[in-house]
Amino acid sequence: AQSVTQLGSHVSVSEGALVLLRCNYSSSVPPYLFWYVQYPNQGLQLLLKYTSAATLVKGINGFEAEFKKSETSFHLTKPSAHMSDAAEYFCAVSAPSGSARQLTFGSGTQLTVLP
Amino acid sequence: NAGVTQTPKFRVLKTGQSMTLLCAQDMNHEYMYWYRQDPGMGLRLIHYSVGEGTTAKGEVPDGYNVSRLKKQNFLLGLESAAPSQTSVYFCASSPRLLAGGIADTQYFGPGTRLTVL
């Protein structure tokens, strides 16, 4: 079965600073990986996804993530944080084994952007 | 398109009461999912459906039942609510699976906040 670990339940950055949200996955086979964002009192919205094409994936709102098989990581980055980026971010994994039709989500990272 | 909608947005129940949460999608998606979200635990899958008339158990199915009589609707029922079912419930839908039957992008509704006293 696959699993996801998000390091850091809360991350604070200053406006204009680099955003780095960490995600490590566990899967016995090559996975597909997703990052979702949840703004307060809203549902989850897809930021980007990796489906075994390019290892560097660009998403919406200036976010990108790099798949590193050797490190089993899929960290989310944005060069310059904006106040509107404050939200909770979830990493999710899907793999062709076990519950193949399901996404497995991490526990989430709350991003705070300081003025 | 409204996307994925959920009814109601908020609900307070007493222990032992029953209720049904309704999820509707207007995107003609085959796959639909019910999750619960609890602080520090991310989203956990309750039940899902791979098409009209089908349902399957997810990670935390106990205490819940579901039905998918119409392709666009996915109902989540609580027969006898318990305080442990206090949570935010999200419905999601997806149009397809990727190669190998792998889950693709899921589109989420706005959620239902349920409190069981």
Side-chain angles (χ1 to χ4, degrees):
Chain A
Q2 62 267 23
S3 65
V4 170
T5 301
Q6 291 185 240
L7 296 175
S9 58
H10 292 84
V11 171
S12 294
V13 300
S14 298
E15 190 173 20
L18 171 71
V19 176
L20 171 60
L21 304 182
R22 300 178 185 274
C23 172
N24 288 88
Y25 68 89
S26 172
S27 175
S28 58
V29 296
Y32 293 166
L33 295 155
F34 304 77
W35 274 100
Y36 281 85
V37 60
Q38 184 181 30
Y39 298 105
N41 300 314
Q42 295 187 26
L44 277 70
Q45 176 183 350
L46 181 70
L47 271 178
L48 50 81
K49 67 180 181 183
Y50 166 76
T51 56
S52 75
T55 56
L56 182 63
V57 182
K58 295 186 183 299
I60 62 172
N61 301 338
F63 284 93
E64 63 181 35
E66 186 172 8
F67 173 71
K68 293 187 176 181
K69 183 178 178 180
S70 61
E71 299 177 7
T72 61
S73 68
F74 190 57
H75 301 331
L76 182 71
T77 60
K78 182 174 180 178
S80 178
H82 192 272
M83 297 297 289
S84 61
D85 294 328
E88 189 157 22
Y89 292 79
F90 292 93
C91 183
V93 63
S94 181
S97 65
S99 301
R101 294 180 174 86
Q102 303 172 19
L103 292 181
T104 300
F105 286 85
S107 55
T109 298
Q110 183 69 47
L111 176 66
T112 300
V113 181
L114 305 171
Chain B
N1 288 350
V4 179
T5 59
Q6 294 183 232
T7 308
K9 289 184 169 51
F10 303 93
R11 185 72 185 269
V12 178
L13 290 179
K14 295 181 179 179
T15 297
Q17 288 185 319
S18 63
M19 77 162 295
T20 300
L21 282 67
L22 171 63
C23 175
Q25 51 96 3
D26 61 2
M27 298 175 285
N28 201 35
H29 287 176
E30 287 293 333
Y31 307 96
M32 296 188 74
Y33 308 82
W34 275 108
Y35 293 90
R36 60 177 290 172
Q37 183 181 33
D38 302 292
M41 303 188 73
L43 277 76
R44 293 181 293 169
L45 184 66
I46 304 171
H47 287 281
Y48 65 99
S49 168
V50 300
E52 182 179 315
T54 74
T55 63
K57 294 181 180 179
E59 180 186 356
V60 289
D62 294 342
Y64 304 95
N65 57 75
V66 288
S67 64
R68 184 128 180 244
L69 299 180
K70 293 183 179 180
K71 184 177 184 178
Q72 63 268 34
N73 296 337
F74 195 29
L75 279 64
L76 177 70
L78 286 73
E79 291 184 346
S80 180
S84 60
Q85 294 177 305
T86 294
S87 187
V88 182
Y89 291 86
F90 287 100
C91 176
S93 69
S94 181
R96 59 187 168 272
L97 299 179
L98 298 170
I102 303 169
D104 195 6
T105 304
Q106 294 179 12
Y107 297 84
F108 284 79
T112 294
R113 188 173 297 274
L114 175 66
T115 301
V116 183
L117 302 175

